[in-house]
Amino acid sequence: MIQRRTLLKTGAAIAVGSPALVGFAQQSVTLKFHTFMAPQSHVYLNMHKAWMDKVTKDSGGRIKFEGYPAMQLGGGPPQLYDQAKDGVADIIWTLPGYTAGRFPRAEVFELPFIMNNADATSRAYWEYIHTVAQDEFKDVQTLALHVHGPGVFHMRDKLVRTADDLRGVKMRGPTRQATKLLGYLGATPVGMPLPQIPDALSKGVINGCTIPWEVVPSVKVQELTKHHSEFAPSVGALYTSVCIMAMNKAKYQSLPPDLKAIIDANSGMETSAWLGRVQQEGDIPGRESAAKRGNEIHVISGEEAKSFTSKAQLVEQEWVQDLDKRGFNGKQLLDTAKSLIEKYGKKA
């Protein structure tokens, strides 16, 4: 017993006295978080910053962050994924769709009318990538995968009730798949980053845009448009965008095990669902901002919706054919995505 106590005391003394072990126990890290979102946006404050604050708290202050919204580290939104891959930033949040066609399997969740609940679809998106598209984001450490709330029509001069109302109308296209749908509906899609929407609306470069309600106040769309058309939940969302929060792989691997565990605990399906849920909750004040101005808000359902959903089938077919050409089974991937959305939608 005496010998055992001596060994325990000796071991404790070595542990306390070893500079290497002390350094390991107290090791901390500061991570650079880069995104294109504005510093006062709902997404940055209530999602990005909230996540960073939680990680810092969970780590006892040993993981700190330097937040760089609005592309403050340089480059453009399409470069964010590669900035995480190359270590320009430690963690990024972006839309894979900004590099159109680079992540084709993830685009399945951007197909028209495939979702109506961001929480359930974000869970489906996480499981889908980690089961049938595991190498889609192989260059980075994926922390979260989520979608935002339903896309909505916002028009300067006329209300959209049916597909015919879009003929000849210049519309900002948000994603590759939504832009295809706008074309099939007879609109003239105009590609542009989100921050350019206010100027384009005010100058008549576009007659309208499709964005979720959550984004409306940040780009003053409630002031620049008078008519809004959303789809009934039973129809599904006009569109959504897939989002990714990812970390540089080498930086992640360099973390000590306990700090890596903190990052892991704040990653994955539950974090993805939380991000999607919080972003969709931002739709409520966004919608209210338009209602308070007396803007016209119309809900598309029934026969009106069929004029849109019938064209959406063409977008699905084209996506399946595109994936087949790339060597994937497009129909199988589409069916998997739909079944996962249904699975998690039932649990919601």
Side-chain angles (χ1 to χ4, degrees):
M1 179 64 74
I2 293 174
Q3 184 179 11
R4 183 171 178 271
R5 286 177 180 169
T6 302
L7 287 170
L8 288 171
K9 288 179 181 179
T10 303
I14 291 172
V16 171
S18 169
L21 289 175
V22 171
F24 178 82
Q26 296 178 341
Q27 185 176 344
S28 61
V29 64
T30 299
L31 302 174
K32 294 180 290 186
F33 188 110
H34 199 204
T35 182
F36 65 88
M37 295 302 299
Q40 297 303 315
S41 65
H42 166 72
V43 170
Y44 188 73
L45 292 176
N46 299 317
M47 294 163 56
H48 302 164
K49 193 171 184 305
W51 181 84
M52 288 186 272
D53 289 346
K54 185 175 185 299
V55 172
T56 297
K57 181 180 178 181
D58 290 354
S59 67
R62 291 175 55 215
I63 300 178
K64 296 182 174 65
F65 292 91
E66 292 176 356
Y68 295 94
M71 300 306 300
Q72 291 174 0
L73 285 179
Q79 296 170 299
L80 281 165
Y81 180 87
D82 285 327
Q83 287 185 355
K85 177 174 72 76
D86 300 334
V88 174
D90 299 314
I91 297 176
I92 60 90
W93 182 94
T94 191
L95 277 62
Y98 278 152
T99 49
R102 182 175 178 180
F103 307 103
R105 285 171 291 177
E107 280 187 313
V108 69
F109 293 97
E110 297 185 337
L111 291 171
F113 305 108
I114 198 170
M115 68 80 73
N116 61 19
N117 180 294
D119 181 312
T121 305
S122 296
R123 293 176 187 274
Y125 177 23
W126 178 269
E127 181 171 332
Y128 169 95
I129 291 295
H130 287 84
T131 54
V132 298
Q134 293 172 318
D135 60 343
E136 190 83 334
F137 303 117
K138 63 182 182 299
D139 300 314
V140 296
Q141 179 70 26
T142 304
L143 304 182
L145 300 166
H146 70 96
V147 300
H148 59 61
V152 177
F153 290 115
H154 309 276
M155 309 296 294
R156 285 200 328 163
D157 305 312
K158 72 172 185 176
L159 182 70
V160 173
R161 294 180 181 275
T162 68
D164 287 340
D165 295 322
L166 288 171
R167 292 193 178 278
V169 174
K170 293 177 290 185
M171 293 289 297
R172 183 258 182 176
T175 67
R176 199 161 73 109
Q177 303 307 323
T179 297
K180 287 179 182 178
L181 177 63
L182 290 173
Y184 280 129
L185 294 172
T188 302
V190 180
M192 67 180 63
L194 180 70
Q196 292 182 15
I197 289 177
D199 188 59
L201 280 172
S202 63
K203 293 180 178 178
V205 175
I206 55 175
N207 305 115
C209 61
T210 51
I211 55 175
W213 281 116
E214 172 262 318
V215 182
V216 165
S218 66
V219 284
K220 302 186 186 307
V221 165
Q222 81 277 20
E223 300 175 16
L224 296 165
T225 61
K226 298 178 182 177
H227 312 280
H228 314 270
S229 302
E230 58 189 8
F231 287 85
S234 59
V235 179
L238 170 65
Y239 84 96
T240 190
S241 298
V242 295
C243 310
I244 181 172
M245 186 163 69
M247 186 171 183
N248 174 262
K249 275 192 170 184
K251 192 69 174 183
Y252 173 79
Q253 293 296 341
S254 73
L255 296 176
D258 60 335
L259 294 190
K260 194 181 293 183
I262 297 294
I263 295 293
D264 291 344
N266 287 279
S267 304
M269 183 180 289
E270 291 304 320
T271 297
S272 300
W274 171 74
L275 288 168
R277 185 167 61 251
V278 171
Q279 191 161 10
Q280 186 166 358
E281 286 170 354
D283 288 346
I284 298 171
R287 192 179 193 276
E288 289 174 350
S289 71
K292 287 178 180 177
R293 293 183 63 86
N295 292 3
E296 184 178 17
I297 300 176
H298 177 66
V299 178
I300 301 173
S301 61
E303 289 300 318
E304 290 180 347
K306 288 180 181 178
S307 63
F308 296 93
T309 55
S310 62
K311 297 294 185 183
Q313 298 301 313
L314 299 175
V315 181
E316 277 195 5
Q317 292 168 14
E318 190 174 327
W319 182 85
V320 168
Q321 292 169 2
D322 180 42
L323 269 290
D324 288 345
K325 290 176 183 176
R326 292 172 182 256
F328 303 110
N329 187 327
K331 180 66 165 57
Q332 187 177 69
L333 290 171
L334 177 61
D335 289 345
T336 299
K338 287 182 174 180
S339 66
L340 288 172
I341 289 173
E342 182 179 5
K343 167 187 168 181
Y344 289 109
K346 288 178 179 178
K347 295 179 181 180

